[in-house]
Amino acid sequence: MSEPLILVVEDDHNLTKLLKYNLEKAGYKCFLAESGEDALKLLAERDVDLVLLDIMLPGIDGFEVCRRIRQHQLFRDLPIVMLTAKGEEIDKVLGFELGIDDYVVKPFSPRELNLRIRAVLKRDRRSRSSVREVMKCDGLEVDIARHSVTLNGREVTLTLMEFKLLAVLLKRRGQAQSRETLLSDVWDVDKTINTRTIDTHITRLREKLGETGKLIKTVRGLGYKLEDSGENGEEN
Amino acid sequence: MSEPLILVVEDDHNLTKLLKYNLEKAGYKCFLAESGEDALKLLAERDVDLVLLDIMLPGIDGFEVCRRIRQHQLFRDLPIVMLTAKGEEIDKVLGFELGIDDYVVKPFSPRELNLRIRAVLKRDRRSRSSVREVMKCDGLEVDIARHSVTLNGREVTLTLMEFKLLAVLLKRRGQAQSRETLLSDVWDVDKTINTRTIDTHITRLREKLGETGKLIKTVRGLGYKLEDSGENGEEN
DNA sequence: CGCCGAATGTTACAATTTCGTTAATTCAGC
DNA sequence: GCTGAATTAACGAAATTGTAACATTCGGCG
């Protein structure tokens, strides 16, 4: 992956120079917008990973820029870090309605800025993955959002319950899950289901997953677990 | 520690009254938000321990509120319990992804609500300190969660009773355990089991553990103990 | 040192539990 | 009501478990 791209929205030339220097030293690419309007235009043109946004801007202010960014479907989750002067309306920054991910108070040290940016980027990647998560294990790939399962590249059609069951097993792969746990995590809250129902679904899952199905181990006296065959990690 | 603070996000006034009454009777402090937007603002202002969140809300719905809460670093681990109406379709797997900790179905009894809240709060504290129980002793490794035992790297399959017995011995390694103690710690409370049964299990354990099985010493007239061969400790 | 009884080890077996599977039934969406 | 999914039921197979019977060891004691 190449360096993350940061859009800096700031009109103070002294500051922008400093920011550019530091950000690039820290391994980010960055470019500049001197007003909110510019920023919105530029956003559309390049694939930005994070916006560093001053509150005080000529024309529309940082809050408004933020609001407009969030209006766009595409940028709903785009990380935004606010630059605020001491004493500025920090309350508002903290407010959630704007969807700001973090803020830095001027004057700040380059170190602090970098730490925050790094944290937000990291968090961002994770939070995206938590909504559009793809879990992998051996040849198995489960995409929660798309509700799809592929096995060594081939799509496998699972029924709803099978899918959910597999998802939970995969999420906690390696750990033995009691039937009770599975029930409460997979089935509707108020349903009262025979725990043996799980067995049936497990059977069908195993069948549909073929060789890979053998990864679903029964833990006698306890429940089931998905074998965690080593290093294969979680993707995003 | 003072009473946990619960933020109730609910717009039905009848229900909020009831909730407030019951929660306070149960020893929680609580306050109210009538919309998701309010909730998000209020969260920033007070140090909330748990959010009780209705799905149906004016404006943004409960799931979206949840998502936004989770976006913030500070509230990444904040316990959230969903209030759902009977018949509302809930995708628990998705909810799982959002980090919802539990659900309560309306109409619910105060008792049930309290039980769930207490459970979640308890779990929460535990998961923060995240103790993964892996016990090691010589070449022996017992992982409770995974329900696995490895002996010098090789997996050993134990039956449930064998596993439990070994776990207890390992947990109290070095200390002699009377048969009575073992019985009450390993077996179900209401089972009336011959103490000699333990001997049989010990035999089987020793056999399966091979050379390492010799670490299980019998303490004549008392019971058994697992030799504590020095410094090898417990992990995390 | 050798005997004896108590405690423990071992083994086999029967009872029980648990599980996998198939078939039957119910359920939900169309 | 038709269809596929979800659930339950049923039954046989397999694993686990408890017990009892017998073997062995241990420790004290004469």
Side-chain angles (χ1 to χ4, degrees):
Chain A
M1 190 188 344
S2 65
E3 321 89 79
L5 182 62
I6 297 181
L7 171 58
V8 178
V9 190
E10 170 62 64
D11 65 323
D12 175 347
H13 287 226
N14 292 324
L15 191 50
T16 54
K17 246 188 247 173
L18 186 71
L19 281 170
K20 194 168 165 59
Y21 173 75
N22 276 308
L23 289 173
E24 289 180 346
K25 209 175 92 183
Y28 302 109
K29 285 199 288 193
C30 72
F31 67 113
L32 203 64
E34 302 201 359
S35 73
E37 290 85 349
D38 279 357
L40 292 166
K41 261 182 241 158
L42 289 169
L43 260 187
E45 295 170 10
R46 305 186 55 176
D47 188 18
V48 172
D49 294 295
L50 183 146
V51 179
L52 200 55
L53 183 59
D54 196 0
I55 291 183
M56 289 288 285
L57 290 170
I60 58 179
D61 72 2
F63 294 122
E64 184 56 29
V65 175
C66 183
R67 208 166 290 128
R68 296 203 190 167
I69 289 176
R70 291 288 183 237
Q71 276 176 357
H72 281 260
Q73 184 83 23
L74 269 175
F75 306 127
R76 172 159 303 198
D77 295 320
L78 180 63
I80 298 178
V81 174
M82 277 278 189
L83 289 177
T84 74
K86 199 173 186 134
E88 261 171 340
E89 304 174 74
I90 295 189
D91 295 0
K92 218 165 162 187
V93 177
L94 275 175
F96 293 86
E97 66 272 31
L98 289 176
I100 288 170
D101 293 272
D102 208 343
Y103 68 101
V104 184
V105 180
K106 291 188 275 191
F108 48 84
S109 69
R111 191 182 124 74
E112 186 192 352
L113 181 66
N114 284 333
L115 283 178
R116 301 233 178 215
I117 287 178
R118 200 172 56 189
V120 169
L121 283 174
K122 207 163 102 192
R123 197 191 329 154
D124 172 57
R125 210 164 300 139
R126 261 211 283 157
S127 84
R128 277 166 207 258
S129 80
S130 87
V131 177
R132 191 181 320 285
E133 184 164 12
V134 180
M135 297 180 290
K136 293 183 186 177
C137 178
D138 280 281
L140 202 60
E141 237 181 277
V142 175
D143 186 328
I144 302 276
R146 296 185 44 205
H147 205 274
S148 79
V149 178
T150 57
L151 187 57
N152 303 318
R154 293 190 314 281
E155 178 98 14
V156 182
T157 30
L158 299 184
T159 69
L160 189 58
M161 287 297 139
E162 287 159 10
F163 178 82
K164 289 183 178 181
L165 187 55
L166 180 61
V168 170
L169 283 175
L170 193 52
K171 181 122 196 168
R172 314 232 180 93
R173 84 192 78 112
Q175 297 177 34
Q177 302 293 311
S178 73
R179 288 187 177 69
E180 284 71 26
T181 303
L182 291 174
L183 266 190
S184 81
D185 284 348
V186 170
W187 273 262
D188 263 1
V189 207
D190 51 350
K191 283 213 173 163
T192 147
I193 303 269
N194 194 327
T195 55
R196 288 306 307 282
T197 299
I198 293 174
D199 299 26
T200 314
H201 288 293
I202 291 280
T203 299
R204 288 198 283 252
L205 254 182
R206 281 173 172 155
E207 192 189 334
K208 287 192 180 176
L209 296 184
E211 200 56 27
T212 308
K214 290 179 183 164
L215 288 182
I216 303 178
K217 305 284 188 190
T218 93
V219 182
R220 208 156 232 272
L222 249 178
Y224 297 93
K225 73 170 171 179
L226 190 69
E227 198 65 74
D228 188 4
S229 68
E231 28 38 72
N232 35 40
E234 196 158 305
E235 296 300 303
N236 28 350
Chain B
M1 193 189 338
S2 66
E3 321 88 83
L5 181 62
I6 297 181
L7 171 59
V8 178
V9 190
E10 170 64 62
D11 64 323
D12 176 348
H13 288 225
N14 293 324
L15 190 52
T16 54
K17 247 188 246 173
L18 187 71
L19 280 170
K20 195 169 165 57
Y21 173 75
N22 277 307
L23 289 174
E24 289 179 347
K25 209 174 93 184
Y28 303 109
K29 284 199 287 192
C30 74
F31 67 112
L32 201 64
E34 302 201 359
S35 73
E37 290 86 349
D38 279 358
L40 293 166
K41 264 183 232 154
L42 289 170
L43 259 188
E45 294 170 9
R46 305 185 57 177
D47 188 19
V48 171
D49 294 295
L50 184 146
V51 179
L52 200 55
L53 184 58
D54 197 359
I55 290 184
M56 290 288 285
L57 290 171
I60 58 180
D61 73 2
F63 288 115
E64 182 59 24
V65 174
C66 184
R67 222 173 59 80
R68 296 202 191 168
I69 289 177
R70 292 286 183 238
Q71 273 179 358
H72 278 259
Q73 188 150 36
L74 270 173
F75 307 124
R76 173 141 300 229
D77 296 320
L78 180 64
I80 298 179
V81 175
M82 277 279 187
L83 287 176
T84 73
K86 198 179 184 114
E88 251 169 351
E89 278 289 315
I90 298 170
D91 190 334
K92 291 194 83 171
V93 172
L94 257 186
F96 205 45
E97 295 296 318
L98 289 175
I100 291 167
D101 294 272
D102 206 346
Y103 300 84
V104 183
V105 181
K106 294 187 278 191
F108 47 83
S109 70
R111 192 183 123 74
E112 188 195 350
L113 180 65
N114 286 333
L115 283 178
R116 300 229 180 221
I117 286 178
R118 203 172 53 188
V120 169
L121 283 174
K122 208 163 102 191
R123 200 183 333 146
D124 172 56
R125 210 162 300 137
R126 249 211 300 154
S127 79
R128 279 168 207 262
S129 69
S130 175
V131 185
R132 174 85 175 292
E133 263 199 293
V134 180
M135 299 180 289
K136 296 182 187 176
C137 179
D138 280 281
L140 202 60
E141 231 180 286
V142 175
D143 186 325
I144 303 280
R146 306 174 72 93
H147 202 270
S148 77
V149 178
T150 55
L151 190 57
N152 303 317
R154 292 190 314 280
E155 177 100 15
V156 181
T157 29
L158 300 184
T159 70
L160 192 60
M161 287 297 145
E162 287 159 9
F163 182 83
K164 287 184 182 175
L165 187 55
L166 179 62
V168 170
L169 285 174
L170 193 51
K171 188 151 201 158
R172 318 227 180 95
R173 85 192 77 109
Q175 302 172 39
Q177 302 293 312
S178 74
R179 288 186 177 69
E180 284 70 26
T181 304
L182 291 174
L183 264 192
S184 78
D185 284 351
V186 171
W187 273 263
D188 268 357
V189 207
D190 52 347
K191 282 216 171 165
T192 151
I193 303 271
N194 195 326
T195 54
R196 290 303 311 283
T197 298
I198 292 175
D199 299 25
T200 315
H201 283 288
I202 291 283
T203 298
R204 292 199 273 246
L205 253 183
R206 281 173 172 156
E207 191 191 337
K208 287 193 181 177
L209 296 184
E211 200 57 27
T212 308
K214 292 179 182 163
L215 287 181
I216 303 177
K217 305 288 188 189
T218 92
V219 183
R220 203 155 237 268
L222 243 178
Y224 299 92
K225 73 168 174 179
L226 191 68
E227 199 68 78
D228 188 4
S229 70
E231 26 42 68
N232 34 39
E234 194 157 309
E235 296 302 299
N236 350 24

